[in-house]
Amino acid sequence: MSDQNGPVAVVTGGGSGIGRATVLRLLDAGFRVVVADVNAETAAATVELAAAPDRVAVAAVDVRDEDAVAAALALAVDRFGGLSAVVNNAGVGGAFGAITEIESADWDYTFEVLVRGVFYGVKHAARIMQAQGSGGSIVNVASVAGLSGGLGPVPYSAAKAAVVNFTKAVSIELAADRIRVNAVLPGAISTPLVHHGRPERAEDKLAATQPWPAAGRPEHIASAIAFLAGGESEFVTGEALVVDGGLTAAGPGPAFAERLGNDPRLRGMAGVNHGTTGVASVVRTRPE
Ligand SMILES: NC(=O)c1ccc[n+]([C@@H]2O[C@H](COP(=O)([O-])OP(=O)(O)OC[C@H]3O[C@@H](n4cnc5c(N)ncnc54)[C@H](O)[C@@H]3O)[C@@H](O)[C@H]2O)c1
């Protein structure tokens, strides 16, 4: 959908990393954007970076809450007059550690944020876009960890694989309404989730992770998302677009898997990584 004021997008997880870069990229492309994030502080910081504050709104959303996701999408319609694109990007590292130690609550948290949150985003975007009758574009941020077993913690890999196949399956149903659904699968990207506030330290390591001789940056992913969100990608649907500097082409080594959470030293240890939500992460060791 597009009117004289430009298209409208909602970006979940728009307070940090890939989501923030996507908000700024879409604003550059003329979109009006709702920044939907559970972290009010970082969401407000994204708005401060925007060159066109009148074209941005903020929604306080935990993507695990269906009503909150629906309300964020409704805000786009109320404030900006329609909905053209939704980027389901919010994410955390989630449960990690030895499979023998992972607790159900941490497994569920991981799937609630990474999979159920995406389901809510697609469900409510599709309702609005079907009612508008002019199509739309939904982009789900998955991960190369959804393609194989060695690229992230086990629960995270399982959740991201679910996002990839959910995207393909639902794209079939929504094609008749000209609603496109695609996934972007980032490789290793220098975001606060990965660099923990020290990008310069992380980026040398990240640059050596894949064949491309520089670290993956949030803007690399934002460009791919913007392509899929806008009209230039008409006829692209059900696609899982890998943006990883050649990482999966080359195949990762075992050292890479260790860095991303499948470290054998984690035997007997588990926990949950709440990412940049503002909630502290938890590490537990099995009592002897
Ligand atoms: N950085 C990488 O290397 C990488 C690689 C592959 C995939 N990804 C995916 O990209 C997406 C963005 O990650 P990032 O690296 O930019 O991380 P980030 O931590 O910088 O940003 C994630 C944002 O999501 C928000 N968020 C988390 N849980 C939420 C919830 N329940 N409700 C609403 N918002 C919530 C956080 O507050 C934060 O603003 C995630 O889905 C992640 O899994 C990242």
Side-chain angles (χ1 to χ4, degrees), residues 12-19 36-39 42 61-64 89-92 109 113-114 141-144 156 160 185-194 274-277:
T12 72
S16 181
I18 291 167
D37 205 294
V38 74
N39 189 330
T42 55
V61 176
D62 187 328
V63 295
R64 297 176 292 166
N89 159 81
V92 291
Y109 167 75
V113 176
L114 296 180
V141 179
S143 169
V144 292
Y156 182 88
K160 290 300 190 180
L185 282 61
I189 308 300
S190 179
T191 70
L193 185 65
V194 171
H274 294 107
T276 60
T277 57

Side-chain angles (χ1 to χ4, degrees), residues 96-102 266-270:
F96 62 86
I99 198 69
T100 51
E101 309 307 318
I102 291 173
L266 290 175
R267 273 183 87 82
M269 181 189 285

Side-chain angles (χ1 to χ4, degrees), residues 113-140:
V113 176
L114 296 180
V115 186
R116 211 169 72 184
V118 173
F119 157 58
Y120 291 153
V122 172
K123 173 180 174 179
H124 291 281
R127 280 190 179 176
I128 292 172
M129 289 169 178
Q130 283 173 339
Q132 288 175 167
S134 47
S137 175
I138 301 171
V139 184
N140 299 328

Side-chain angles (χ1 to χ4, degrees), residues 18-277:
I18 291 167
R20 174 177 287 173
T22 300
V23 170
L24 300 178
R25 180 71 177 72
L26 291 176
L27 286 169
D28 278 353
F31 277 78
R32 288 162 295 156
V33 183
V34 174
V35 181
D37 205 294
V38 74
N39 189 330
E41 211 172 299
T42 55
T46 295
V47 174
E48 286 199 4
L49 290 171
D54 54 314
R55 289 198 278 119
V56 203
V58 173
V61 176
D62 187 328
V63 295
R64 297 176 292 166
D65 176 346
E66 180 165 11
D67 291 343
V69 173
L73 301 183
L75 175 69
V77 178
D78 290 349
R79 183 73 62 87
F80 298 128
L83 183 67
S84 339
V86 173
V87 182
N88 293 305
N89 159 81
V92 291
F96 62 86
I99 198 69
T100 51
E101 309 307 318
I102 291 173
E103 297 198 351
S104 299
D106 295 342
W107 177 278
D108 287 347
Y109 167 75
T110 310
F111 272 70
E112 282 168 14
V113 176
L114 296 180
V115 186
R116 211 169 72 184
V118 173
F119 157 58
Y120 291 153
V122 172
K123 173 180 174 179
H124 291 281
R127 280 190 179 176
I128 292 172
M129 289 169 178
Q130 283 173 339
Q132 288 175 167
S134 47
S137 175
I138 301 171
V139 184
N140 299 328
V141 179
S143 169
V144 292
L147 297 179
S148 78
L151 290 165
V154 170
Y156 182 88
S157 295
K160 290 300 190 180
V163 172
V164 171
N165 220 39
F166 170 61
T167 300
K168 292 184 183 189
V170 78
S171 73
I172 299 166
E173 178 184 332
L174 296 178
D177 297 307
R178 295 179 186 268
I179 300 168
R180 299 181 298 108
V181 193
N182 292 290
V184 169
L185 282 61
I189 308 300
S190 179
T191 70
L193 185 65
V194 171
H195 63 54
H196 308 295
R198 301 170 84 172
E200 44 321 301
R201 255 174 61 130
E203 285 182 12
D204 281 349
K205 275 193 193 161
L206 289 176
T209 299
Q210 72 277 313
W212 193 260
R217 286 183 288 105
E219 293 75 16
H220 292 137
I221 309 304
S223 295
I225 293 172
F227 166 68
L228 291 171
E232 290 294 304
S233 56
E234 188 181 353
F235 206 55
V236 180
T237 195
E239 174 62 9
L241 178 60
V242 171
V243 185
D244 71 349
L247 173 65
T248 47
F256 189 83
E258 286 182 15
R259 277 209 303 283
L260 281 183
N262 294 329
D263 189 334
R265 287 169 298 183
L266 290 175
R267 273 183 87 82
M269 181 189 285
V272 60
N273 172 1
H274 294 107
T276 60
T277 57

